Amino acid sequence: MKEEIPILKGKTKKELQEICEKLGLEPYRANQIYTGIYKNRYTSLDQFTTLSKDVREILKSKTSYPEIELGRDLTSKDDGTRKFTFYVDENKEIEAVWIPSGDGGRKTICISSQVGCTLNCKFCATGLLEFKGNLATWQILDQVLQVEKLVGDRATNIVFMGMGEPMHNYFSVLKAAHILRDQDGFGLGAMRITISTAGVTTGIKRFIENKEPFNFAISLNHPNPNARSSVMDVNDKHPLDLLIDCAKKFTKELDRPITFEYVMIPDVNMGRDNAERLAKIARSVNKCKINVIPLNTDFTGWRRPTEDEVMEFVNILKSKTKAPILNRRSPGRDINGACGMLALKGVRSEVR
């Protein structure tokens, strides 16, 4: 059986040390390779000038240093958001989004964790796709490397809110997050990295048990346990009551707030009753914040709320809870790069 050629990207320091040992290289070479990949963002092995030419030649012949391939690059005329489609394999596409803030301070990359998704959230375009597998750690991290190279700037924040359910690719996602956090790696603080879930409670429990340091967000989207399944089928296996118990455990054991993401859909999950239910959940969890997001997709038969409807909903929330509430709005909506729109190409008629 032919031995598989190791891919250098996506590896921890320890894994790189093991590769170096097999290749007969000194252990300290692993640290040079690690910082070259992640800290220095080298795009080819020829740039690793801290390594001798002989060592570089060994790595070229015995290891692999691949890149995900750029497909499309779309720029929003409204706010400068850019959406990138990448090919990770034949007939396998993912999308990542560069979201700059208006003042030039915060620069966020929204990255994907799966090709397609295992879930079917009714408002999310990714649910239209066939699930074609989990991304490897190197493919997750390479989204950051490629986006930064394409925009000519470095991210200040990373959110695992792209295509896929991160908790269904838990180990690759968390491995990537720790490399992003490592000061010898990408050098982002843990509080600049947010991992999200549609509500997979088994993953949340593992996250808590492992005392992971990263920000965490739950895509809630309906506060009624009897109605949430009509919006998110994950609720059938991981019901709302259990999900809220996990959120309470998160804030108690990790002693930091959790974020609830809430896509606002008129006549589905808005109105006074739902606002009061959502506020009650926020009060019970204690340490939380709520990000409200107007519905972006239009293939559902549902409509996007008006500004007045959003304001009314938010005002009821504010009157019933002290939790911070942020209207995330919809950067990149004109290029189908906003929340729930990944998997839509540049124009609506090109839904895959």
Side-chain angles (χ1 to χ4, degrees):
M1 185 176 177
K2 188 176 180 181
E3 187 175 354
E4 188 174 347
I5 296 176
I7 295 172
L8 295 178
K9 287 181 180 178
K11 297 293 192 293
T12 62
K13 289 178 188 176
K14 183 179 179 181
E15 289 171 330
L16 288 173
Q17 287 171 357
E18 292 170 354
I19 291 172
C20 286
E21 184 180 351
K22 288 181 180 179
L23 297 179
L25 302 176
E26 301 92 333
Y28 73 85
R29 297 295 187 188
N31 287 341
Q32 294 175 319
I33 297 169
Y34 186 87
T35 56
I37 297 170
Y38 308 124
K39 194 169 190 175
N40 299 326
R41 318 291 212 266
Y42 291 153
T43 59
S44 75
L45 289 172
D46 289 323
Q47 292 180 305
F48 287 71
T49 53
T50 53
L51 304 174
S52 68
K53 186 176 180 181
D54 289 344
V55 170
R56 295 200 301 271
E57 290 302 317
I58 290 172
L59 292 176
K60 285 181 186 179
S61 63
K62 300 292 185 180
T63 69
S64 177
Y65 200 70
E67 291 184 346
I68 56 177
E69 180 186 351
L70 178 65
R72 292 178 296 277
D73 176 356
L74 301 172
T75 301
S76 169
K77 295 178 181 178
D78 297 334
D79 50 46
T81 297
R82 289 174 70 177
K83 183 174 80 164
F84 302 93
T85 302
F86 294 105
Y87 298 99
V88 296
D89 204 347
E90 187 177 356
N91 297 321
K92 291 183 178 180
E93 297 180 18
I94 58 170
E95 293 182 336
V97 185
W98 170 264
I99 310 168
S101 64
D103 60 7
R106 186 183 179 99
K107 291 164 282 191
T108 301
I109 303 178
C110 176
I111 57 177
S112 297
S113 56
Q114 295 181 308
V115 183
C117 189
T118 49
L119 302 177
N120 182 27
C121 299
K122 299 297 191 296
F123 56 85
C124 183
T126 307
L128 298 174
L129 299 178
E130 176 188 355
F131 174 66
K132 294 186 177 180
N134 289 328
L135 294 179
T137 299
W138 82 265
Q139 293 167 327
I140 295 172
L141 292 174
D142 209 39
Q143 293 171 70
V144 179
L145 293 171
Q146 298 308 318
V147 169
E148 288 186 338
K149 181 174 70 172
L150 289 162
V151 302
D153 202 352
R154 291 197 176 186
T156 62
N157 296 77
I158 302 294
V159 295
F160 287 79
M161 295 181 179
M163 297 167 65
E165 167 51 59
M167 294 296 100
H168 284 169
N169 190 14
Y170 185 92
F171 295 105
S172 293
V173 164
L174 267 296
K175 183 180 175 183
H178 279 282
I179 293 172
L180 288 166
R181 176 202 183 198
D182 189 353
Q183 291 305 304
D184 291 331
F186 285 81
L188 296 170
M191 291 294 99
R192 292 185 177 272
I193 301 165
T194 301
I195 300 173
S196 70
T197 180
V200 179
T201 56
T202 49
I204 301 172
K205 289 175 182 177
R206 182 182 288 127
F207 191 97
I208 297 168
E209 289 167 3
N210 294 341
K211 299 189 185 314
E212 298 293 355
F214 311 104
N215 288 331
F216 199 78
I218 292 173
S219 189
L220 191 66
N221 304 321
H222 210 301
N224 187 329
N226 299 318
R228 188 167 182 260
S229 292
S230 66
V231 179
M232 308 177 73
D233 63 355
V234 67
N235 193 69
D236 294 337
K237 188 173 181 179
H238 303 276
L240 182 60
D241 291 345
L242 180 58
L243 179 60
I244 300 309
D245 285 343
C246 285
K248 292 176 183 177
K249 185 176 182 181
F250 179 101
T251 59
K252 181 178 180 181
E253 296 196 13
L254 300 185
D255 193 29
R256 62 178 193 267
I258 199 166
T259 298
F260 290 124
E261 305 281 348
Y262 198 89
V263 175
M264 297 175 291
I265 311 169
D267 305 317
V268 175
N269 65 358
M270 295 182 73
R272 176 169 292 276
D273 182 59
N274 286 318
E276 290 181 350
R277 282 179 178 269
L278 179 56
K280 184 177 180 180
I281 289 172
R283 292 196 304 271
S284 73
V285 172
N286 191 23
K287 294 181 180 179
C288 74
K289 55 184 177 180
I290 302 171
N291 287 346
V292 294
I293 309 157
L295 176 71
N296 290 310
T297 49
D298 60 5
F299 58 82
T300 60
W302 295 329
R303 66 175 177 85
R304 183 177 173 87
T306 65
E307 287 292 330
D308 287 344
E309 287 172 324
V310 170
M311 187 178 299
E312 180 182 0
F313 187 75
V314 169
N315 285 340
I316 296 171
L317 283 177
K318 288 181 177 179
S319 71
K320 299 293 183 179
T321 177
K322 294 181 181 179
I325 300 164
L326 172 67
N327 183 351
R328 263 181 49 191
R329 303 190 183 278
S330 303
R333 190 164 182 258
D334 61 321
I335 55 169
N336 291 321
C339 178
M341 303 184 84
L342 299 193
L344 303 183
K345 297 184 181 181
V347 295
R348 176 66 187 90
S349 61
E350 291 183 314
V351 177
R352 296 194 293 275

